[in-house]
Amino acid sequence: MKKIIAILLGGIALASCSSDDNKSSSNDPIFSQPYTELTNLDELVTGKYQYVGNKIGDRKVGLVTDAAKCKGSDHLVVHRTGAVLDSITYNNYRPEIIDKKEECLSIFAFPRLMQKNELVSPGYLSTSVDDGYLQPIFNDEGVVVRREYRRKNHYGGKLEIGFQAGYLRIEDRLSDYKRLNGEKVYLYFKKN
């Protein structure tokens, strides 16, 4: 009898400890909806996708409100040449006071660039996320004569990508959010 009780308690403990990033308690109206993995890059329609919110760890999906006007400026753009997915760019904004007026300024010098995009399996996009910058070029006297556009890698690897509750959901390796405990972070976008 003690063995049976121990096995039952152990099974209950294991079941309660298991987690699935695609499931959440029913009190999250977005994350509790069915998740559909991206199965073909053609599902990413050319154009602008407006940022609508994020999900950090086990918290509910946080949607952008009018109070966070700069976050409402964040967006993703899918670039194609014909049927070929060229790149995806991400623009991330923050509020800043300029001449006593709040302005929304880009966090990055250039939009983050996702390139070399390949769907390696349903729901997993292999990509290289790069930051652009202007490299000063000096003459022999040490004077800047021009600036050349260069890129440095921000992230390289796989990202989860798919659709949930009518939104494009992508694992966040794009924004400036700093993970505190290695939690999963997702960004949500709505096609304009």
Side-chain angles (χ1 to χ4, degrees):
M1 183 68 171
K2 286 183 182 180
K3 286 182 184 180
I4 293 172
I5 292 174
I7 290 171
L8 287 174
L9 289 175
I12 292 170
L14 284 174
S16 66
C17 291
S18 67
S19 67
D20 181 349
D21 285 330
N22 294 324
K23 303 239 187 294
S24 184
S25 62
S26 62
N27 61 358
D28 188 329
I30 294 173
F31 207 72
S32 64
Q33 296 299 309
Y35 172 71
T36 306
E37 298 169 329
L38 188 76
T39 57
N40 188 316
L41 290 178
D42 291 340
E43 294 175 69
L44 294 176
V45 179
T46 302
K48 185 176 179 180
Y49 289 76
Q50 193 64 46
Y51 172 81
V52 294
N54 66 8
K55 173 151 178 53
I56 300 171
D58 60 358
R59 293 184 246 172
K60 286 184 179 182
V61 172
L63 296 177
V64 173
T65 64
D66 291 337
K69 77 172 191 176
C70 291
K71 289 310 297 171
S73 299
D74 290 5
H75 62 277
L76 195 74
V77 180
V78 174
H79 305 273
R80 289 184 176 279
T81 303
V84 176
L85 176 65
D86 293 324
S87 63
I88 301 170
T89 53
Y90 177 65
N91 297 272
N92 194 205
Y93 295 88
R94 72 171 181 270
E96 194 159 311
I97 304 298
I98 298 175
D99 296 329
K100 299 180 183 178
K101 184 179 175 191
E102 184 177 271
E103 302 280 341
C104 295
L105 299 180
S106 178
I107 291 173
F108 315 119
F110 296 92
R112 284 222 158 125
L113 174 68
M114 294 173 64
Q115 59 183 1
K116 302 175 188 166
N117 299 302
E118 180 184 349
L119 203 59
V120 293
S121 63
Y124 288 92
L125 180 72
S126 176
T127 189
S128 175
V129 180
D130 295 335
D131 287 326
Y133 65 97
L134 293 175
Q135 175 72 44
I137 306 300
F138 299 93
N139 65 14
D140 293 339
E141 291 81 39
V143 176
V144 175
V145 292
R146 69 181 186 281
R147 297 183 187 278
E148 291 181 0
Y149 178 77
R150 304 270 172 88
R151 291 192 295 247
K152 62 181 176 181
N153 187 261
H154 167 72
Y155 172 80
K158 290 189 236 173
L159 297 177
E160 287 181 38
I161 188 167
F163 299 95
Q164 191 169 33
Y167 301 116
L168 172 65
R169 183 183 103 178
I170 187 166
E171 184 180 347
D172 183 17
R173 296 293 179 180
L174 301 171
S175 76
D176 65 332
Y177 177 75
K178 307 285 188 258
R179 283 160 188 72
L180 303 176
N181 298 316
E183 69 265 322
K184 277 277 187 151
V185 180
Y186 298 102
L187 300 176
Y188 286 85
F189 298 90
K190 184 81 171 172
K191 179 71 175 87
N192 283 356

